[in-house]
Amino acid sequence: MGTDEVEPQLLPNRFADAVGSMSGGPDRDRCRCVGHSIATRPATVSFHGDLQDTEAPGWRHLLALIDEAAADGRTVFKPFVEMSALERRQIVTLPPTIAKLTAVTHLVLYGTNLVRIPPEIGAMTSLEIFEPYTSHRLHWYPYELTRCVRLAGSTVSTRVLYGNFKFRPPFPALRPVTDSGDADFAALDPAVWGADAVRNCSVCSGPVDHELRQVWISCLVGTDVLPLLVNACSAACVAALPEPHRDYPPTPHTGGPDVVQPGSRY
C-alpha cells in the first residue's frame, strides 16, 4: 500500500442483532409515499390507513412480549427480533401497553412494517435511545414522544419523513378544528386523522372531548428533527407549543401542499 493510500476500514453493523428471521415470506410492505428525491416527491400525501388486526397472531405475540419486558424490568427492548416474518408484517402500530415499559432505556424498531406509533410512547420516561431505523412506512411521530425527556439518541430513516430537509416532501393536510358533534373521537379513520382514536391532548394530557385541533410541528427529538403530529384539545394548547426547529416551517401548521417549506439540500 502506497503512502498516499488510505487503509479501508471495516465498519460494524450496529443492527446485526436487530433483524428477526426472514423465513416465511416478506416481513413488510413497500412504500414510496413521499418519493425519494425532489424529482419524485408527490404534490400531496396522505396518512397510511392500515387498521391493526388485534386478532392476528403477531399482535398477540407482541402483547405477550411487552408484558414479559414490563415484568422483568429489562432496559433494552427489541420485540421484532423474536417474531416471525409473517408476525412482523401483521404489526402496523404498537399497542398502548407500551406505556408499561417504564424501565426501557433503549427501544429498537428496526425494519418494521409500522405506519404509526401510539401516543402512549410518552409514558416510556426512561427512554434514552430510540431506533426505528429502516422502518420506511413511519413518516411521522406523535408529539407525545417529546415527553421522553431523557431521550438523547435516535436513528431514524429521515428520507422517508414528511417535510424532511433532504427534499421537502409535503405533510398530510389536517382539519384545523373539529367539533365533537362532527366526529367520534373514539372511532376515527386513520387515513384521515392519523389514528383510530384520540382521547387525550398531546400538550396538556387532558381529555379531548369538545373539540380536536390537529397541527404539525417539526422538533428535535433525540438526534433527529421529526415531524410531530399534535392532537390538541384547545387553541390555548396549540399556542403553548414550543418554537419549531430552525430550517423547518416556523410555526405549527395544518399541512397540505400550500405550506411553505425552506429549500431542500439535494
Side-chain angles (χ1 to χ4, degrees), residues 32-238:
R32 287 291 189 180
C33 282
V34 301
H36 53 85
S37 65
I38 292 175
T40 61
R41 69 185 177 196
T44 61
V45 294
S46 301
F47 290 111
H48 284 284
D50 307 46
L51 294 173
Q52 179 61 57
D53 180 1
T54 56
E55 299 299 322
W59 181 258
R60 295 196 297 270
H61 191 178
L62 182 55
L63 289 174
L65 291 171
I66 290 171
D67 286 344
E68 290 174 11
D72 64 29
R74 74 187 67 174
T75 57
V76 179
F77 190 45
K78 303 179 181 181
F80 291 89
V81 174
E82 302 182 57
M83 302 170 70
S84 69
L86 176 60
E87 288 178 328
R88 294 197 299 274
R89 193 174 186 180
Q90 293 170 345
I91 306 300
V92 297
T93 185
L94 298 179
T97 54
I98 58 171
K100 299 189 295 185
L101 301 178
T102 54
V104 170
T105 62
H106 186 180
L107 177 61
V108 180
L109 304 174
Y110 181 87
T112 71
N113 203 35
L114 293 170
V115 300
R116 54 188 168 270
I117 290 178
E120 284 81 4
I121 194 171
M124 296 180 64
T125 51
S126 296
L127 192 62
E128 299 175 3
I129 303 173
F130 178 52
E131 294 181 318
Y133 191 50
T134 71
S135 289
H136 289 153
R137 300 213 297 160
L138 280 176
H139 307 306
W140 62 277
Y141 293 84
Y143 183 75
E144 286 82 351
L145 191 58
T146 62
R147 297 179 185 173
C148 301
V149 295
R150 297 183 183 180
L151 185 54
S154 58
T155 308
V156 177
S157 295
T158 54
R159 187 175 287 275
V160 303
L161 299 178
Y162 298 138
N164 74 71
F165 71 93
K166 295 177 179 177
F167 60 98
R168 303 295 184 185
F171 295 76
L174 303 173
R175 301 182 185 186
V177 57
T178 303
D179 186 81
S180 58
D182 298 325
D184 181 356
F185 300 150
L188 298 173
D189 181 354
V192 176
W193 308 92
D196 57 10
V198 174
R199 295 180 176 86
N200 297 99
C201 178
S202 300
V203 182
C204 73
S205 300
V208 175
D209 47 16
H210 298 300
E211 66 178 30
L212 171 63
R213 294 175 180 262
Q214 289 192 306
V215 294
W216 292 108
I217 186 170
S218 298
C219 296
L220 182 67
V221 181
T223 47
D224 293 286
V225 178
L226 303 180
L228 304 174
L229 179 61
V230 179
N231 292 307
C233 66
S234 65
C237 280
V238 173

